[in-house]
Amino acid sequence: MPSRPSACAAAVLVAGLLVGCGTESVATPERPGGRACPTDELRPDPAATENTPEARALADALDPPKRGTGAHAAYDDTYSSMEVDRPRGRVTLCVSDLGRGRAWVAAVRKAHPDVDTGRVDLRLAGWSKKEVDAAGERVRKHAAQYEKEYGFPVSTLSLDGAKGLTVGTSREGAASREFRERLVREAGAVAVRVEVAHEVGGDLARRPDAPAATRAR
């Protein structure tokens, strides 16, 4: 996107993020230096005891939708997650559609001209929070049925807009192809990772028609 003139000419590109005032930086896989979610590499400043006023004001103005409610309920279909002051003084907004994300930031800029929307870093998430929550709810709803049919518990379930669902189960459950395929069908378009509960490194399972770049390796 084009930068605003004059006042923002000093903005510089650092570690792939546009730092300084101006237009929000947009992270896309195709754009040099662009990044997609997850935001695991974004670490908070260990010396900071509170949010910067600029980032806090921006986060308040963005006001992510809460289950389809709030001032920005119209963006419930694209909002995934938000990180404040990671990096310091900025807000990372993860969305499943960058065009919708830009529209959201533009709406905030218009409604809150006193807030510096140039501090927003848009990142592309795999799914919206709404999609992931719905997939997780379907898995939770049928957890007792899975254990009855397959003999494997759903011990833990974590939701992430970049990684999808992570299901923790028994060692036998994590090794069961039939169980994983059932979870994938239940989750729909959202990715499912099946792990032994309290361990890491489970296999990522996706629908057979998922793009090759995102299938399990």
Side-chain angles (χ1 to χ4, degrees):
M1 296 176 64
S3 300
R4 292 178 182 175
S6 60
C8 304
V12 294
L13 192 65
V14 178
L17 297 174
L18 185 63
V19 179
C21 63
T23 187
E24 68 278 357
S25 65
V26 179
T28 67
E30 297 79 18
R31 180 171 174 172
R35 297 182 182 179
C37 292
T39 57
D40 293 346
E41 80 281 5
L42 300 179
R43 299 285 185 258
D45 183 349
T49 58
E50 58 185 25
N51 292 127
T52 59
E54 298 85 358
R56 183 70 267 167
L58 178 55
D60 289 344
L62 286 167
D63 187 22
K66 302 169 183 65
R67 293 190 177 275
T69 64
H72 299 117
Y75 301 101
D76 192 42
D77 61 341
T78 193
Y79 170 66
S80 182
S81 63
M82 184 171 74
E83 298 286 353
V84 181
D85 276 319
R86 297 174 63 182
R88 192 83 172 145
R90 302 188 68 77
V91 173
T92 299
L93 184 62
C94 292
V95 293
S96 62
D97 183 308
L98 289 173
R100 298 279 291 144
R102 294 188 192 96
W104 183 355
V105 174
V108 169
R109 184 184 301 120
K110 182 177 181 180
H112 303 275
D114 55 322
V115 172
D116 184 6
T117 56
R119 292 177 178 270
V120 175
D121 296 314
L122 285 176
R123 289 196 178 198
L124 186 62
W127 307 271
S128 67
K129 185 177 186 299
K130 179 180 180 181
E131 290 175 298
V132 174
D133 284 351
E137 185 57 34
R138 290 193 296 273
V139 170
R140 287 192 189 97
K141 181 179 178 181
H142 296 104
Q145 184 178 344
Y146 302 150
E147 188 160 14
K148 181 178 180 181
E149 292 183 13
Y150 301 98
F152 309 133
V154 174
S155 303
T156 60
L157 177 63
S158 64
L159 316 179
D160 188 293
K163 301 174 183 177
L165 307 185
T166 301
V167 177
T169 185
S170 64
R171 188 174 300 277
E172 294 78 13
S176 171
R177 178 178 178 179
E178 291 77 13
F179 184 45
R180 285 188 294 164
E181 288 177 347
R182 174 63 182 275
L183 291 170
V184 167
R185 289 196 300 272
E186 210 75 74
V190 177
V192 179
R193 184 183 296 271
V194 184
E195 299 178 343
V196 178
H198 308 303
E199 294 187 12
V200 298
D203 294 326
L204 180 64
R206 286 193 60 93
R207 297 178 63 92
D209 56 352
T214 57
R215 284 183 187 166
R217 291 188 176 92

